[in-house]
Amino acid sequence: MPSATQQSPRLSPPPAPPKLYTVKEHAFNGPVPSFADQYSSTDQETAIVIDNGSGTLKAGWSSGSAPLLNLSPVMSRYTDRKWGRKFTFIGSEAAVDANARQQAKHAFGGGSGVVTNWDAMEGVLDYVFLKLGVDGEAMDGGIGRPVVMTEAVANLGMARKAMTEILFECYGAPSLTYGIDSLFSFRQNAGTTGLVISSSHTSTHLIPVYNQRPYLSQATRLNWGGSQSTDYLLKLLQLKYPTFPGKMTTHQATEMVREHCYVSQNYDHEASHYLDWTGLEDRDRVIQYPFTEAIVIEKSPEELARIAERKKEAGRRLQEQAAKQRLERLMRKEEDVEYYKDLQRRLADQTNKKEVRRLLEDAELRDEAHLDRTIKDLSAKIRKARMKDVDGAEAEEDAPAEEPSFPLLDTPDADLDEAGLKAKRHQRLLKSGYESRQRAKAEKVAATERKAAELAEDQRRREDDPEGWLQDRRTAYALLRQRLRDRARLKQDLGNRKSLASQLRMKSIANLASDNPAGGKKRRRGGGQDEDTFGANDDDWGVYRNIGTGEGGGGGGGEGAGAGSDEDSDAEDNAALDTLESELLAHDTSFTNADTLAAASDWRLSRLHAFLRGPWPFDADSARETHQVHLNVERIRVAEVAFRPSIAGVDQAGLVEIAADVLGQRVQGEDARERMAKDIFLTGGFSGLKGFEERVKMELRKELPVELDLRVRRAKDVVLDAWKGAAAWVREGDRWKVVRVTKAEYEEKGAEYFKEWEYGNAFAG
């Protein structure tokens, strides 16, 4: 059991209000400018370089130092009925309005890195060539410039063939060269021999390179990248906030991964302590979604006073009605007790067993023991109701009143008119209430005396046997806490239609709706069997409490509808719990305030609250707070999947395990292994996460031999270096003219033809 010293830091006041991060939507940032003036400054040896990434497409001239276009390969095409025109939007322009966003189509298949929507891909290429200022009329309808395009490792031949046909047939490209994006990035960063780890939008590839020659037969693919991380974070948030009022989109999750997620250097330790109270305000990121705060109309003091007076008057009337109903129920119960006691006397005088059985069946009793229990239960209820009435009456009485008189009760009904009969019935009710209160007062005095005797006995036992007394209190406290937890769990289970409590509740409802309910009652005192007498007994109404709380599965009334269906059981248990806690706090040194029910329900001690709402209190009525998403453990869990794919259910080895296998098993020769280990090169957008480089180096150091010199570095620009490397490769030599496929070669050898070279894919027949 934690001590008060251990708990006290967590019971400190909440920290300052959190810093809020606005959720980022896929916004339209204005039209992309045209670069038509640059087309005229190029010649037919200047290539159009396209880094055809599944996340972003980069395009520009090989003579430039950076791409001119950077856009998402997305197309939106729809018809505006008002204007009677068709509109096409590309990239960020697809977010210009709601209609465009709804019709947006991605060129690449979900998480595959392979072009599947060629209509969208062709629209994106149209947009690229138009923005680059390609003059199709001057070039006989073609683009008139060679094309250098990147592709993924082991790109499908079908996808490459379709792209080749489009570029040669639709755009009239004079030549076409394909190269692997990550190898261009490796070249841009002066790499010659090393292990290239490209963690991009749709996947992570590991390619061993020796003297600028990739070992593509030893390359390995891990099916995890930026898009999978986005989907995973989106699923985690939807599970975390199942009733979130805002709309979570893929683009929003992508921005959250990019800005708030990072790679932990010690995931197990950090995850186990991430929700610790100390420093949680720095680790927890609060994302604020758009919301509309409810308008509260302020009322004047006069209006508030009138409302309070009306509520007070309504409460007084309700109290009067409730008191009258309690009195009527008490009278019925007293009549029932007299009936059962009279039945008990008749059974005692009866010697015929058949007659005894008949009398019990008429009263719906199984045997005489059942009769004794019924009398005992009813007597306990009457005693309890009298105590409540006495407490309320004594609170209202300032001085003892004279004994009231009820003269009309001695007057025959024949001597009274209608008003007199009504007054007589009222006096009879008052007399019953007065007599009940007098009996209750006498019982209360006796109960007070018994209570005093019990307290004296308890005090004596506490002094004579303190350990035994404390053990009894601890046991009673544990049982009471367990009962409260079970009751709360039962109420919670009612929300799940498949739970046992919910099924029992539905069984009770179906039983009530049935024409022949199970356990239905016959009229107790001589009524016909077909007469509906439900409600004549106060216990009958317990079935509605069963339906409302899930207690029990049968119908109402009968044996067992006593204390278990009492409306005040929660209040009584809480009062008993308070008494036990005060006694344990006073006499048990191992029991502290941190062990009480109030401390256990404190949000500052709830790990679930820290997970959902951070170290701040939560107001469920605040639209601002209900539209907030808290990122804490997810910040490291999403990025950790690249190193432990099993976290997200991916049946593959982790990134470091694959890299160690490539260096230790697949690469042959000590010289090649040593040189590759000296240059572990990271590229791709997903590798830009904070801590990625450090984690790879730390984990690889554990896997590789200690004498092996290990060096890990990251690309200068993990996103743009692939395009920059391809453009520099074209500018710095004529090698591209040797490995390109000309239009004449395409027409002669077909769309499947391409040339193998040091930065391109290999042919697989």
Side-chain angles (χ1 to χ4, degrees):
M1 182 177 296
S3 65
T5 305
Q6 293 171 324
Q7 294 287 354
S8 57
R10 300 192 62 187
L11 291 175
S12 58
K19 177 183 177 182
L20 300 181
Y21 295 84
T22 305
V23 64
K24 292 189 176 181
E25 300 286 352
H26 196 180
F28 172 59
N29 299 319
V32 177
S34 176
F35 302 95
D37 56 330
Q38 297 192 19
Y39 179 77
S40 58
S41 64
T42 63
D43 54 31
Q44 294 186 1
E45 297 299 320
T46 304
I48 299 175
V49 180
I50 301 175
D51 181 11
N52 193 23
S54 57
T56 55
L57 182 145
K58 282 78 68 178
W61 299 104
S62 61
S63 57
S65 60
L68 300 176
L69 299 175
N70 193 330
L71 53 96
S72 300
V74 175
M75 184 186 73
S76 175
R77 180 178 293 161
Y78 74 96
T79 302
D80 192 306
R81 296 182 180 179
K82 180 179 179 180
W83 297 95
R85 296 176 56 188
K86 289 185 178 180
F87 294 93
T88 301
F89 300 96
I90 304 297
S92 63
E93 296 178 358
V96 65
D97 62 11
N99 291 328
R101 286 193 295 270
Q102 291 176 359
Q103 301 297 326
K105 305 295 182 184
H106 206 285
F108 289 80
S112 66
V114 178
V115 178
T116 56
N117 189 335
W118 289 102
D119 185 39
M121 190 73 250
E122 188 174 343
V124 171
L125 291 175
D126 284 343
Y127 182 84
V128 167
F129 295 139
L130 287 173
K131 289 298 180 180
L132 291 178
V134 174
D135 188 357
E137 295 182 359
M139 304 305 299
D140 298 328
I143 59 177
R145 298 292 185 271
V147 176
V148 176
M149 179 176 285
T150 66
E151 62 179 0
V153 181
N155 188 27
L156 295 180
M158 174 192 65
R160 185 186 300 110
K161 175 184 175 183
M163 181 65 74
T164 302
E165 290 176 347
I166 288 177
L167 289 173
F168 279 125
E169 299 291 347
C170 295
Y171 299 104
S175 67
L176 174 62
T177 306
Y178 289 110
I180 298 174
D181 51 2
S182 56
L183 297 182
F184 278 132
S185 178
F186 189 49
R187 183 188 186 279
Q188 176 66 14
N189 288 269
T192 58
T193 300
L195 178 62
V196 177
I197 301 178
S198 173
S199 188
S200 57
H201 184 64
T202 57
S203 60
T204 298
H205 289 99
L206 292 88
I207 310 172
V209 180
Y210 185 74
N211 291 334
Q212 297 185 348
R213 285 284 179 178
Y215 292 175
L216 295 182
S217 60
Q218 305 301 327
T220 306
R221 170 190 173 103
L222 172 62
N223 296 321
W224 192 265
S227 65
Q228 290 86 354
S229 300
T230 295
D231 294 340
Y232 185 54
L233 177 61
L234 197 59
K235 291 178 181 178
L236 290 178
L237 293 179
Q238 289 170 345
L239 289 172
K240 187 175 183 177
Y241 302 102
T243 59
F244 188 71
K247 182 180 180 181
M248 299 181 185
T249 64
T250 302
H251 181 79
Q252 295 168 357
T254 301
E255 294 298 327
M256 292 181 196
V257 172
R258 183 178 297 127
E259 293 189 9
H260 304 291
C261 292
Y262 65 94
V263 178
S264 173
Q265 304 306 306
N266 189 346
Y267 177 77
D268 291 334
H269 179 269
E270 190 170 355
S272 61
H273 295 280
Y274 211 96
L275 298 177
D276 288 352
W277 191 261
T278 304
L280 182 57
E281 63 272 15
D282 298 325
R283 296 187 296 271
D284 190 87
R285 297 290 176 89
V286 184
I287 314 299
Q288 182 67 66
Y289 275 72
F291 68 96
T292 302
E293 196 67 70
I295 300 176
V296 180
I297 301 176
E298 297 291 339
K299 294 182 173 63
S300 64
E302 293 78 9
E303 290 177 324
L304 293 175
R306 286 196 297 270
I307 292 174
E309 185 62 29
R310 287 198 298 268
K311 288 183 177 179
K312 184 177 180 181
E313 180 63 23
R316 186 187 60 79
R317 289 197 299 267
L318 288 174
Q319 288 178 353
E320 292 178 352
Q321 294 175 4
K324 183 178 179 180
Q325 292 174 357
R326 285 198 305 270
L327 183 57
E328 291 175 350
R329 289 198 298 269
L330 181 60
M331 292 174 60
R332 287 198 298 269
K333 289 177 181 177
E334 289 179 343
E335 292 176 359
D336 290 343
V337 169
E338 292 299 326
Y339 167 78
Y340 285 124
K341 287 182 177 180
D342 180 66
L343 177 61
Q344 199 173 38
R345 289 191 294 269
R346 285 191 290 162
L347 292 176
D349 297 336
Q350 189 61 249
T351 57
N352 190 337
K353 292 185 179 180
K354 290 185 178 180
E355 184 63 20
V356 169
R357 191 179 303 110
R358 185 188 65 79
L359 292 173
L360 290 173
E361 289 178 354
D362 289 344
E364 296 185 355
L365 298 170
R366 292 191 298 273
D367 49 32
E368 295 187 38
H370 189 184
L371 175 61
D372 293 338
R373 287 195 300 272
T374 302
I375 294 175
K376 183 178 180 181
D377 291 343
L378 285 173
S379 300
K381 291 181 180 180
I382 291 172
R383 188 162 51 252
K384 186 176 179 181
R386 286 175 179 171
M387 290 296 180
K388 289 184 179 180
D389 288 340
V390 169
D391 291 339
E394 289 183 351
E396 296 177 359
E397 292 177 359
D398 296 332
E402 297 181 358
E403 182 178 353
S405 62
F406 309 99
L408 292 179
L409 297 182
D410 298 329
T411 305
D413 293 347
D415 298 341
L416 299 174
D417 55 8
E418 185 176 352
L421 291 173
K422 184 176 180 181
K424 182 178 180 180
R425 287 194 297 271
H426 182 64
Q427 288 187 7
R428 183 181 295 111
L429 189 63
L430 292 177
K431 181 181 179 182
S432 299
Y434 174 75
E435 292 175 349
S436 296
R437 285 193 294 274
Q438 295 302 313
R439 288 193 296 269
K441 286 180 181 179
E443 291 179 359
K444 186 174 182 180
V445 171
T448 304
E449 295 175 352
R450 288 195 302 270
K451 183 69 174 178
E454 292 173 358
L455 290 175
E457 176 63 22
D458 187 72
Q459 175 72 13
R460 184 194 62 77
R461 184 168 180 270
R462 182 170 62 83
E463 294 174 355
D464 295 343
D465 185 14
E467 287 300 324
W469 182 86
L470 277 177
Q471 186 60 39
D472 290 345
R473 289 297 185 272
R474 295 184 190 121
T475 303
Y477 182 76
L479 292 175
L480 197 53
R481 284 286 296 269
Q482 184 62 41
R483 185 158 68 243
L484 290 173
R485 282 193 293 267
D486 293 343
R487 191 174 298 149
R489 189 181 302 112
L490 181 64
K491 292 179 180 179
Q492 184 179 4
D493 287 345
L494 289 176
N496 180 9
R497 62 184 181 86
K498 294 183 178 181
S499 65
L500 177 61
S502 182
Q503 292 176 4
L504 292 176
R505 177 176 177 270
M506 293 305 299
K507 182 179 179 181
S508 298
I509 294 175
N511 184 44
L512 286 175
S514 174
D515 293 335
N516 299 303
K521 281 181 169 290
K522 296 184 291 184
R523 186 163 182 84
R524 177 182 296 158
R525 300 170 195 164
Q529 182 174 354
D530 296 333
E531 185 175 354
D532 185 7
T533 61
F534 181 84
N537 181 13
D538 185 59
D539 293 340
D540 293 341
W541 303 99
V543 68
Y544 294 108
R545 287 190 289 272
N546 293 340
I547 293 175
T549 63
E551 295 178 2
E559 184 185 5
S565 60
D566 199 324
E567 297 175 349
D568 300 324
S569 55
D570 283 340
E572 292 176 356
D573 287 346
N574 288 328
L577 194 71
D578 292 341
T579 302
L580 288 172
E581 285 181 346
S582 62
E583 291 177 344
L584 289 173
L585 287 171
H587 304 287
D588 189 356
T589 57
S590 64
F591 190 87
T592 65
N593 285 320
D595 302 318
T596 61
L597 179 63
S601 58
D602 193 309
W603 63 269
R604 291 169 295 180
L605 299 177
S606 172
R607 201 167 184 84
L608 179 60
H609 180 95
F611 176 62
L612 294 175
R613 303 299 173 185
W616 298 280
F618 175 66
D619 182 8
D621 296 328
S622 171
R624 179 179 64 87
E625 295 186 20
T626 55
H627 284 77
Q628 289 177 354
V629 168
H630 290 253
L631 295 179
N632 35 63
V633 181
E634 299 85 6
R635 296 181 62 197
I636 60 174
R637 184 176 183 181
V638 170
E640 185 66 19
V641 179
F643 300 88
R644 301 184 189 181
S646 59
I647 293 178
V650 179
D651 189 16
Q652 283 187 273
L655 172 62
V656 173
E657 188 177 352
I658 295 175
D661 179 67
V662 171
L663 292 175
Q665 303 294 330
R666 302 188 185 187
V667 175
Q668 302 298 322
E670 288 298 326
D671 178 65
R673 185 177 297 111
E674 290 177 0
R675 291 179 61 185
M676 287 183 186
K678 291 180 181 180
D679 192 5
I680 307 297
F681 178 72
L682 306 177
T683 187
F686 191 64
S687 68
L689 290 179
K690 179 182 176 182
F692 196 96
E693 178 182 355
E694 294 80 1
R695 176 68 179 278
V696 171
K697 183 176 182 179
M698 181 184 67
E699 295 291 337
L700 266 179
R701 183 71 279 171
K702 299 176 183 178
E703 298 289 337
L704 299 178
V706 67
E707 65 273 7
L708 201 62
D709 186 11
L710 177 65
R711 301 174 191 175
V712 180
R713 65 186 178 116
R714 181 184 285 153
K716 297 177 182 178
D717 191 329
V718 295
V719 176
L720 298 181
D721 273 358
W723 186 93
K724 293 179 180 179
W729 174 71
V730 175
R731 287 196 309 268
E732 295 171 1
D734 295 331
R735 175 65 174 162
W736 69 279
K737 297 179 182 179
V738 177
V739 300
R740 66 182 176 179
V741 177
T742 64
K743 188 170 184 180
E745 290 175 324
Y746 161 75
E747 292 174 346
E748 177 185 354
K749 301 176 181 178
E752 296 90 348
Y753 175 72
F754 72 97
K755 297 179 180 179
E756 294 185 2
W757 62 291
E758 58 269 22
Y759 293 145
N761 276 302
F763 178 76

